[in-house]
Amino acid sequence: MAVTDRAEDERFMRRALELAARGQGSVEPNPMVGCVIVRDGKIVGEGWHEQFGGPHAEIVALQKVDKTVLRGATAYVTLEPCCHQGKTPPCSKALTIAGIARVVAAMEDPFPAVDGGGSDELRAAGVECEIGLLADDARELNAPYLRRLEAGRPWVIAKWAQTRDGKMAMADGTRWISNERSREIVQQLRGCVDAIIVGSGTALADDPLLTARPTNAGDVKRVALRVVVDSHASLPLESQLVRTAREVPTMVAVSDAARDDAVRRLHAEGVHVFYCEGVTHGERLKSLLEELGRRRMTNVLVEGGSRLLHSLFDIYAIDEVHVFTAPKDAGGDAPSAPRLRKQPLKDIVTTDLDGDEYLRARLGP
C-alpha cells in the first residue's frame, strides 16, 4: 500500500477515535466506539455509540448513507465489529449486508463473545479486514473498558483537593479548599462514573450527598452508586447518605467486624451492605473493587479521605488522578494528600482554574 494511502487511513481512523470519545459516560459498560465510512477518499457517513442499549457506531454510520454509495466503501472502526446478538444485532453482519468492501479496525475486541470472531466473519464473507491501525490510541481511549475485562475490576479515578503544602484540609479543620470552578469539574466527573467511593471518616466529617449536581444538567449521564468503606457499619442513620438511600443507590462496604444489629439497621433503610473479604484493609479494598467489577462497573471515582486514598495507592489500584491544588498553605497537622511518586504519571494535563491548579493524569505501569 502506498504511503499516501496509509496517511489517509490514519486520518480517517483519527476521526473515528474523536467520534468514539463522545460516548464517554453514556455507553458503559460497553466500550466507546466510533465509525467512519469512506467512498472514493471522502467521508460519506459517520457515527458513534451514543448510549448503552442503543445502536452501535457501525449501525449509526450505515443508516446515514445511501445504500448505493455503501457498496464497495471502506468502514473505519475503532474496535472490531461485534459478531454476536446482544441488545443490538451483530455489526459484522450489517456491514456485510451493506456491501462494505473493506473494514479497518483499530484493535480486536477482547470481549469473550467477540475476541476475533467479528473479523473472522467479515473475512469469511469476502470483506477485506485489517486490524491494528492506531491500536495504541484505541487502547488508551478504552483503557477503563479493558481494565474491567482484563483485571475484573473498574478503572479507579482518584480525586482530591490539596493546599500548596500538600494538605487535604486547613489547620482549623476547614475542608473546602478548592474554588467554585474546581468543584464544578468534580460535579461533572460524578455525572460520568458508575460509583463514587468515600471512606467512613469522610462520610462522618462531611455528611456528603455524593450526587452529581453540575451547572449543566446534561452533564449527568448516569446515576452513580454511592459507596462508603466502613468496616464497622458505623454510618449514622441520620446521615444524608442513609436518608436518601431509597432514592439513590447506596452501599456500605463492611468487614466481618461489623455488628449484626448495625448491618440490619442499614438494610432497613434501603442501604445495601457488602461484606468485603480479606484480613487486611488492602485485601478488603481489592474485594470491593472485584465486586464492583462483577456488577459491570467501568469507572469509579474515589473522593477520599486521606487513609482510603493512601491505601488504594499502596495496592496499586489507582489508574487516574484528578488533583486540585489551591494557592494556599494549611500548616499544622491536617491530613496529608497522597504523593504521586510510586508510579510514573503519563498523559499529564494541567489547567489553571481561577488560581487553582488542576492536574489530570493517568498512572503508568
Side-chain angles (χ1 to χ4, degrees), residues 49-112:
H49 186 28
E50 300 176 14
Q51 187 74 40
F52 177 68
H56 289 186
E58 299 94 320
I59 305 302
V60 175
L62 288 171
Q63 290 174 343
K64 295 181 179 179
V65 187
D66 186 275
K67 292 182 179 179
T68 59
V69 178
L70 285 172
R71 189 157 298 277
T74 297
Y76 295 85
V77 193
T78 58
L79 190 69
E80 174 189 10
C82 67
C83 56
H84 65 293
Q85 177 71 47
K87 288 184 176 293
T88 58
C91 294
S92 56
K93 184 175 182 180
L95 290 166
T96 301
I97 292 173
I100 295 294
R102 177 176 176 240
V103 172
V104 181
M107 60 174 288
E108 287 188 346
D109 185 353
F111 185 66

